[in-house]
């Protein structure tokens, strides 16, 4: 490799700083963001940076802040930033001076929103532990009673003058999920659950309006599953609250934007209509952004790209403002809506903070990973093809650096995304399971977007309800067969890889066919009934697997859709990777599949990462995942190219 072009190593991928959570100031002059670096433990170091929104000066780090948690937020006058660190709320001046700790709340601050009056911050925080709680913890008297042990986080107001935290009593014991203030400094829109557990919490979500000055309370009724990101907008002389949530009536589907009218004080109680503002669209809303003096903006997943839309209040509906190649996320807008900041990445450019008008060019502000710009990446190609039933599909093909299709056939690794409500964008994926890591080792990598994913409307996303592993699996096979027919993929050297739902698909694949010479199941589901019973999303998982098990003695729908049911048919070597403390897809899923493969004598390795949850966070573990992945496919698919460092 040329001395001018750095080698892509596991350390370079893992140790690269990553920008997070850009927030543009209300006056549109500054953009704050967090830069994260992985550490030896589960929590990366997170520094706080500020950049001029017009790019006229270099970004600067605010000194002494290395543990910024979550999203920083601007004061209404754009002169200071509020941020959380070690569970407490802090404020720092724009120049990095006068950093002060605002709370010493033993319950911990979960999130915060500075209010328009400049002297109050809305926070959500759990109650402080009582003397009895502390005594029980010290004595180990800590039996967990379901429904009684989980502590809800409550909405409180922090008065900056007195540093006093006052709970908003009208919300009672409800668990607060999200808060936003009306742009004119009026009431708060609040989404809450009946309890902290995801199931049944998300099934009991409600929308409220609370006056922070008087405590006056208004209930706007139950909201749809997964409700989040409330925002205000004004329709003529009336305020409305919009929010993101899953499209009803099922447990599986695409996100939609809903809204509801906020009645005037003293209006008669009654059922409020929550209308779907994105019904019938063939794109999927992903983020909803309040604008102080204008109509809300939204990010929409649009196939392999991302679009910015603005709400047209007259219809009302969302109208496209611009389309950006690749991935855009973490969108924020200034008070006028004339400038936005976001993270953006294209096929060969890593995700960085960008800023500009929503309908114009976004200028890159941050440059946290300059070394990655010098890497000789594999060429990334957009794919468009039809499923067996005629459904339009898309995906990506990455070829080894310096090669063309004509240089094939290549050993092909199919990397299935998670979710299934997720997608591959035409961006540079530099995660700890990075497809370019495999491509730069000499493999062709296929990134399919089968049905069930995001970016093609609700019906596309809902197509896998009770049918995971069926048509979505043939969508993937159709893409592989096309690449074989085109001479790109070597039919005798196929591998399949995936994490989370992608891990399920890898485990499913090897029970359906012996075409793959190797597979990797990362944090994957092997039994859908057990997943609905023990996974943190609970009954929602039955929407994918089709049943739970308590419906009767069976056989159940999920038995026919669970990889472990087909373990006796597996002959492909499987690498199983899983975090020990994963609550999303519990470790038992991997253990079940491992024991089944042992029973039938299938070649496999089972690796458990201590202290890790559903995402692998620790530096050494991420490096291990990258190296172990290459070594596994190198062992079973063979050296992909002369001189490759894969094995």
């Amino acid at each position: 490799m040329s001395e001018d072009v750095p080698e892509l190593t596991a350390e370079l991928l893992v140790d690269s700083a990553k920008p997070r959570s850009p927030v543009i100031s209300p006056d549109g002059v500054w953009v704050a963001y967090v830069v994260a670096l992985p550490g030896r433990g589960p929590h990366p170091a997170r520094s706080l940076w500020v950049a001029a929104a017009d790019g006229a000066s270099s970004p600067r780090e605010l000194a002494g802040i290395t543990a910024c948690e979550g999203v920083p937020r601007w004061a209404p006058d754009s002169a200071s930033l509020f941020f959380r660190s070690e569970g407490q709320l802090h404020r720092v001046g724009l120049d990095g001076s006068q950093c002060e700790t605002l709370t010493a709340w033993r319950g911990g601050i979960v999130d915060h929103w500075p209010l328009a009056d400049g002297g109050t911050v809305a926070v959500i925080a759990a109650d402080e532990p009582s003397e009895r709680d502390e005594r029980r913890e010290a004595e180990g008297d800590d039996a967990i009673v379901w429904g009684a042990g989980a502590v809800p986080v409550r909405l409180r107001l922090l008065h900056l003058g007195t540093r006093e935290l006052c709970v908003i009593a009208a919300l009672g014991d409800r668990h607060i999920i999200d808060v936003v203030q009306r742009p004119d400094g009026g009431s708060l829109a609040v989404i809450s659950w009946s309890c902290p557990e995801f199931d049944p919490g998300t099934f009991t979500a409600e929308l409220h309006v609370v006056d922070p000055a008087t405590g006056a309370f208004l209930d706007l009724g139950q909201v749809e599953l997964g409700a989040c990101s409330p925002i205000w907008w004004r329709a003529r002389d009336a305020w409305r609250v919009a929010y993101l949530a899953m499209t009803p009536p099922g447990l599986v589907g695409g996100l939609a934007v809903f809204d509801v009218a906020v009645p005037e004080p003293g209006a008669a109680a009654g059922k409020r209509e929550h209308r779907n503002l994105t019904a019938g669209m063939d794109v999927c809303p992903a983020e909803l952004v309040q604008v102080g003096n204008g109509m809300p903006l939204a990010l929409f997943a649009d196939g392999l790209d991302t679009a910015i839309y603005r709400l047209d209040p007259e219809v009302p509906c969302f109208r496209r403002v611009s389309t950006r190649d690749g991935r855009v996320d973490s969108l924020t807008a200034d008070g006028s809506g004339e400038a936005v900041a976001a993270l953006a990445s294209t096929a060969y450019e890593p995700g960085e903070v960008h800023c500009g008008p929503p309908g114009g060019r976004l200028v890159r502000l941050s440059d946290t990973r300059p070394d990655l710009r010098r890497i000789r990446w594999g060429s990334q190609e957009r794919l468009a093809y039809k499923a067996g039933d005629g459904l339009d599909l898309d995906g990506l093909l990455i070829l080894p650096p310096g090669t063309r299709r004509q240089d094939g056939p290549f050993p092909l690794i199919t990397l299935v995304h998670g979710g299934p409500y997720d997608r591959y964008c035409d961006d540079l994926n530099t995660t700890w399971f990075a497809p370019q890591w495999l491509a730069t080792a000499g493999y062709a990598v296929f990134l399919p977007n089968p049905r069930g994913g995001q970016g093609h409307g609700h019906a596309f996303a809902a197509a896998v309800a009770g049918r995971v592993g069926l048509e979505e699996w043939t969508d993937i096979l159709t893409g592989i067969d096309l690449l074989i027919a085109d001479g790109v993929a070597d039919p005798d050297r196929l591998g399949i890889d995936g994490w989370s739902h992608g891990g399920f698909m890898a485990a499913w694949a090897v029970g359906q066919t012996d075409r793959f010479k190797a597979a990797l199941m990362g944090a994957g589901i092997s039994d859908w009934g057990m997943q609905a019973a023990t996974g943190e999303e609970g009954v929602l998982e039955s929407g994918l697997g089709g049943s739970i098990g308590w419906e009767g003695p069976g056989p159940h729908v999920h038995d026919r859709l669970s990889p472990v049911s087909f373990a006796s048919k597996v002959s492909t070597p499987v690498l199983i990777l899983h975090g020990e403390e994963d609550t999303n897809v519990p470790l038992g899923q991997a253990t079940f599949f491992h024991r089944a493969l042992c029973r039938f004598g299938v070649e496999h390795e089972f690796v458990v990462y201590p202290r890790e949850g559903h995402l692998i966070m620790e530096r050494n573990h991420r490096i291990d995942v990258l190296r172990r992945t290459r070594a596994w496919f190198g062992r079973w698919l063979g050296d992909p190219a002369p001189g490759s460092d894969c094995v």
Side-chain angles (χ1 to χ4, degrees):
M1 183 173 290
S2 168
E3 293 182 359
D4 296 330
V5 179
E7 177 188 357
L8 183 64
T9 64
E11 290 81 2
L12 181 59
L13 272 176
V14 169
D15 291 338
S16 294
K18 293 177 174 61
R20 295 283 185 267
S21 308
V23 184
I24 192 168
S25 59
D27 61 10
V29 176
W30 303 100
V31 178
Y33 59 96
V34 176
V35 174
L37 273 173
R40 294 189 181 276
H43 304 296
R46 296 182 177 95
S47 54
L48 184 57
W49 290 66
V50 174
D54 60 4
S57 59
S58 298
R60 67 181 187 275
E61 180 181 358
L62 300 185
I65 301 171
T66 59
C68 183
E69 301 162 357
V71 180
R73 291 191 168 91
W74 288 95
D77 63 1
S78 302
S80 60
L81 282 158
F82 293 83
F83 66 96
R84 290 183 300 117
S85 180
E86 299 180 345
Q88 300 302 326
L89 186 62
H90 306 260
R91 178 171 56 185
V92 63
L94 183 57
D95 60 359
S97 65
Q98 299 177 336
C99 185
E100 54 184 334
T101 301
L102 302 175
T103 61
W105 187 256
R106 290 181 297 131
I109 306 300
V110 175
D111 211 339
H112 66 287
W113 295 267
L115 301 187
D117 64 10
T120 313
V121 182
V123 301
I124 53 176
D127 293 345
E128 292 188 301
S130 66
E131 290 184 7
R132 179 174 180 271
D133 295 331
E134 292 175 336
R135 176 180 54 78
R136 290 186 62 194
E137 181 179 2
E139 296 176 355
D141 181 16
D142 53 0
I144 299 172
V145 179
W146 191 92
V151 179
V153 294
R154 306 181 197 277
L155 180 60
R156 292 174 160 87
L157 298 179
L158 171 64
H159 300 282
L160 296 176
T162 63
R163 305 294 169 87
E164 183 181 7
L165 269 173
C166 301
V167 71
I168 295 184
L171 291 165
D173 291 337
R174 293 193 66 83
H175 180 72
I176 308 305
I177 297 299
D178 218 339
V179 178
V180 68
Q181 187 176 30
R182 208 168 68 192
D184 65 355
S187 296
L188 308 177
V190 182
I191 293 176
S192 73
W193 293 352
S194 63
C195 65
E197 287 84 5
F198 188 92
D199 178 8
T202 192
F203 290 90
T204 59
E206 295 179 357
L207 179 62
H208 323 278
V209 171
V210 180
D211 187 329
T214 66
F217 173 84
L218 179 64
D219 187 357
L220 295 183
Q222 189 162 345
V223 289
E224 303 297 342
L225 291 176
C228 63
S229 302
I231 59 104
W232 292 82
W233 69 280
R234 193 165 181 81
R236 297 188 175 89
D237 295 328
W239 285 103
R240 302 186 70 90
V241 175
Y243 58 92
L244 283 173
M246 188 184 300
T247 305
L251 301 178
V252 177
L255 289 182
V257 178
F258 298 88
D259 88 329
V260 59
V262 178
E264 294 295 325
K271 186 176 181 180
R272 315 293 179 193
E273 178 191 3
H274 291 238
R275 58 185 183 179
N276 185 344
L277 300 181
T278 52
M281 296 182 72
D282 60 0
V283 290
C284 295
E287 295 180 14
L288 192 57
V289 181
Q290 180 165 294
V291 173
N293 300 312
M295 288 298 106
L297 295 170
L299 278 184
F300 279 72
D302 184 4
L304 298 169
D305 299 314
T306 311
I308 299 177
Y309 280 67
R310 193 186 300 275
L311 180 65
D312 180 344
E314 297 302 323
V315 181
C317 69
F318 283 90
R319 299 193 183 279
R320 188 183 300 254
V321 176
S322 62
T323 300
R324 312 285 170 176
D325 290 347
R327 183 179 299 274
V328 178
D329 55 27
S330 302
L331 184 73
T332 66
D334 68 359
S336 68
E338 295 179 0
V340 296
L343 295 174
S345 172
T346 54
Y348 307 108
E349 288 285 324
E352 295 286 357
V353 178
H354 289 66
C355 187
R361 177 172 172 265
L362 299 183
V363 176
R364 178 172 59 81
L365 301 182
S366 66
D367 191 13
T368 57
R369 295 175 278 183
D371 286 349
L372 294 186
R373 286 200 177 77
R374 300 171 55 213
I375 295 293
R376 190 185 187 202
W377 299 108
S379 60
Q380 189 158 296
E381 173 188 336
R382 294 172 177 242
L383 300 176
Y385 62 100
K386 288 188 178 295
D389 59 3
L391 184 67
D392 289 328
L393 300 170
D394 60 38
L396 297 167
L397 172 67
I398 306 176
L399 296 178
T403 66
R404 301 171 299 170
R405 278 179 169 244
Q406 300 92 303
D407 298 320
F410 302 93
L412 178 76
I413 298 173
T414 298
L415 183 53
V416 186
H417 67 63
Y421 192 64
D422 200 348
R423 63 171 179 149
Y424 285 117
C425 300
D426 193 10
D427 67 333
L428 181 60
N429 187 321
T430 58
T431 59
W432 42 272
F433 53 89
Q436 282 281 0
W437 172 247
L438 295 170
T440 54
Y443 298 103
V445 182
F446 173 40
L447 306 177
N449 281 325
R451 71 192 74 195
Q454 183 187 40
H456 297 283
H458 166 64
F460 186 92
V464 295
R467 302 188 61 81
V468 286
L470 300 181
E471 291 85 359
E472 65 170 327
W473 167 232
T474 59
D475 291 348
I476 294 169
L477 275 183
T478 298
I480 294 171
D481 289 339
L482 287 172
L483 293 174
I484 292 172
D486 288 347
V488 174
D490 182 344
D492 296 321
R493 293 200 290 171
L494 300 177
I496 189 164
D497 182 353
W499 284 77
S500 193
H501 190 80
F504 153 73
M505 288 302 302
W508 175 261
V510 296
Q512 307 302 309
T513 179
D514 62 1
R515 294 176 64 182
F516 297 102
K517 299 301 185 244
L520 189 156
M521 175 192 186
I525 294 120
S526 62
D527 184 273
W528 283 103
M530 185 168 67
Q531 178 64 12
T534 62
E536 64 188 28
E537 295 196 359
V539 175
L540 279 177
E541 301 284 11
S542 67
L544 293 168
S547 61
I548 296 172
W550 58 46
E551 298 88 354
H556 303 102
V557 173
H558 75 259
D559 294 327
R560 300 193 297 270
L561 302 177
S562 295
V564 75
S565 299
F566 300 89
S568 64
K569 300 178 181 294
V570 177
S571 60
T572 301
V574 182
L575 174 61
I576 304 172
L577 307 179
H578 215 107
E580 185 178 30
E581 298 179 8
D582 191 347
T583 56
N584 186 319
V585 179
L587 178 60
Q589 294 284 346
T591 304
F592 197 3
F593 203 59
H594 154 66
R595 289 180 176 172
L597 297 185
C598 286
R599 172 65 178 81
F600 294 108
V602 180
E603 182 83 36
H604 72 287
E605 288 184 7
F606 180 24
V607 181
V608 178
Y609 294 101
R611 301 173 302 282
E612 298 287 10
H614 196 55
L615 301 179
I616 305 301
M617 299 299 296
E618 295 187 22
R619 176 184 185 273
N620 288 340
H621 290 163
R622 289 185 170 188
I623 289 173
D624 185 83
V625 168
L626 289 168
R627 290 177 175 168
R628 196 176 294 274
T629 299
R630 268 195 184 179
W632 184 255
F633 286 112
R635 175 181 173 186
W636 298 105
L637 272 61
D639 192 359
S644 167
D645 59 355
C646 179
V647 294

